Amino acid sequence: PYLVRTLGVSNFGIYSFSLAFMSYFQVITNYGFNLTATRDISVNRNNKENIEGIVSTVYLTKLFLTLFCFLILILMITFVPKFNQYSLSYLVSFLLVIGNVLFPGWFFQGIEKMKYITLLSITGRILLTISVFVFVKQEKDYIIALLINSMSYLIPGILGITLIKVKYQIKFKLVSFKKIFKALSDGWYIFISSLLGNIISSSGTFVLGLTSSNSVVGIYSSIIKIIKAVIGLFLPITQSLFPYVSAKFSQNYEVGISIVKKAGKIIMAISFFIGTSLFILAPLILEIMYGIEIAKYSLVMRILVIWLLFSVLNNIIGYQYLIASGQEKLYSRSFIKAGIVTILLYIILSIPFSMYGIIIAMLAGEISLTFLMIISMHKNVTLK
C-alpha cells in the first residue's frame, strides 16, 4: 500500500511489470528444482555423498540457466523498444533472479529444516520493509524500490548458500555434463508445469504491460498482491508438507494418499473461510489499503478470490499428490492443456476487456487445470 501511494499507480505499474518480467527468468532458473531436488534430497538425506552430488549438480545447472537468461535480457533491452525504455529497471530487477538462484530453499525443504527458510526470508523481508520506508519517498524512486526488492532476495541467497557450506559442510564439486543433462531431463515435466503455472498465475501483469497503460497495470497489480499474499500464507504449509509426503509415498502409497487427503481437507477449509471473508469485505479492504479510486475495482478482487480457491486446490492435487507420488507426467500434461487455454484467452480477451479479460483468462485456466487433472487421474487405472 505504501508503494502504491508513494510511487503513484503509473510508476507502481512499471515496478510491477519489471517484477513480472523477472518471474519468467525465475521459473527458468528454478527449472523445477524446488520440487525435484527437494524430493531427491528427502530420499537421500542420510547419504551425504549423494546430497553433495545433488547440490553441486543443481547449482551448476542453475549457473548455466542464469547466464542464458541474462543473455536473453540483454538482447531484449537492446533490440525491443518497449524494454529499452525502462532498461535500468530490468537490469536492477535481475539481481533478484541471482538471489533466487543462490537461495537453497530446496535443500532445507529436503532435509526438513524449514526454520532456516523462515529465518532467512524474514531477514530479507525486514530489510525490504524498513528500507522502503526510509529510501522510497517520491514517485521517481521506483528504481530504488526495485533495488531494495532485489536485495531482499540477494542477501538471503548469499546467507543461505554460506549456511549449507559452513553448517552442513556441503562440498561443491564439478559434475559432468552428463549429470547436468540428466538433471535437465528429469526436471523437464516439472519445468514445463512451473512455466505454464507462471503463465496462468503471473502473466496477467506482463500481458497488461504490453497491451495497456502503466496505470492499469498498477491497479491490477495492487489488487492481485492481496490475493497472492493470502496464497503466501499457505506456502510454509505446502512447502513443509511436500518433502514429508514425498518420503511417505516412496515408502507406502496408501500412507501417502491418506496424509494428502487429511491435509487437503484442512487446507481447503481454511482457504474457503479466508476467501469468503475477502469476497464479502473486498470494497472495504481495497479502500483502507489503497484508497477510494482503487476500491472501485472490487469486482476484480472478488473474481480473483475464486481463482485463489482453485489455485490452492490445484496445489493439493498436483504438487502434494501427483508430483509427490511420482506422477509428474500426468500433472505436466494437464498443465500444458490448461496453459494453452489460458494463453489463448489472454490473447483474445486482454485488449478488448483489459484487466477483466486477464482475470477471466486466469480463472478459466485454473478451473481447466482442476478438471483436466481429475479426468487424467480417472483414466489412469493405478490412480483411479
Side-chain angles (χ1 to χ4, degrees), residues 25 42 163 201 293 362:
F25 294 142
S42 177
L163 185 61
S201 64
E293 288 302 312
M362 287 171 56

Side-chain angles (χ1 to χ4, degrees), residues 12-30:
F12 185 73
I14 299 170
Y15 171 90
S16 300
F17 181 78
S18 300
L19 298 183
F21 184 24
M22 291 305 114
S23 71
Y24 292 104
F25 294 142
Q26 285 181 279
V27 172
I28 293 171
T29 53
N30 278 337

Side-chain angles (χ1 to χ4, degrees), residues 80-143:
V80 181
K82 171 70 179 179
F83 295 96
N84 180 261
Q85 185 179 2
Y86 300 107
S87 58
L88 183 58
S89 300
Y90 309 133
L91 290 170
V92 168
S93 299
F94 194 80
L95 291 172
L96 76 83
V97 178
I98 297 173
N100 191 64
V101 167
L102 293 176
F103 190 70
W106 42 272
F107 174 83
F108 296 126
Q109 281 182 257
I111 62 173
E112 295 189 41
K113 297 292 183 181
M114 300 297 292
K115 64 181 180 180
Y116 295 117
I117 295 179
T118 304
L119 290 172
L120 292 171
S121 297
I122 286 175
T123 300
R125 297 307 170 190
I126 290 175
L127 171 69
L128 170 66
T129 305
I130 295 174
S131 299
V132 161
F133 287 113
V134 172
F135 297 108
V136 180
K137 296 294 186 181
Q138 48 192 329
E139 289 190 2
K140 66 179 182 180
D141 290 341
Y142 67 92
I143 296 291

Side-chain angles (χ1 to χ4, degrees), residues 227 230-231 271 275 278 304-313:
I227 303 301
V230 174
I231 293 177
S271 65
L278 289 175
L304 286 172
V305 166
I306 303 172
W307 171 77
L308 178 153
L309 296 176
F310 277 96
S311 180
V312 174
L313 176 62

Side-chain angles (χ1 to χ4, degrees), residues 63-81:
L63 173 62
F64 287 120
L65 292 172
T66 304
L67 293 173
F68 170 75
C69 289
F70 188 68
L71 176 62
I72 297 297
L73 173 62
I74 294 300
L75 290 173
M76 291 189 73
I77 63 178
T78 302
F79 297 107
V80 181

